[in-house]
Amino acid sequence: MFGHWEILAVVLVALLLFGGKRIPELARGLGKSVTNFKAGLKEDQSEEAETTAQTESDAPQKEEVS
């Protein structure tokens, strides 16, 4: 995919653009945002499962007519 030289070039450009002190801050912020995103997905999935279970339990049961 990417060779060693391409990765090195991207790192050097990032160092030039953001500086050495700024890169750890950017990486930390990116890590926190990924963590928050994953937590939001889990929360959304649990809410969806809860809503589905509640809807199924609230639905009237069909009675068979003989």
Side-chain angles (χ1 to χ4, degrees), residues 31-62:
K32 286 182 182 179
S33 64
V34 168
T35 303
N36 289 337
F37 179 74
K38 286 182 180 181
L41 284 178
K42 286 181 182 179
E43 182 180 309
D44 187 43
Q45 288 174 350
S46 66
E47 286 177 3
E48 184 177 321
E50 185 178 300
T51 303
T52 303
Q54 188 178 33
T55 303
E56 289 175 356
S57 67
D58 289 346
Q61 299 294 327
K62 294 183 180 179

Side-chain angles (χ1 to χ4, degrees), residues 23-34:
I23 291 178
E25 293 172 11
L26 292 171
R28 203 172 300 119
L30 181 63
K32 286 182 182 179
S33 64
V34 168

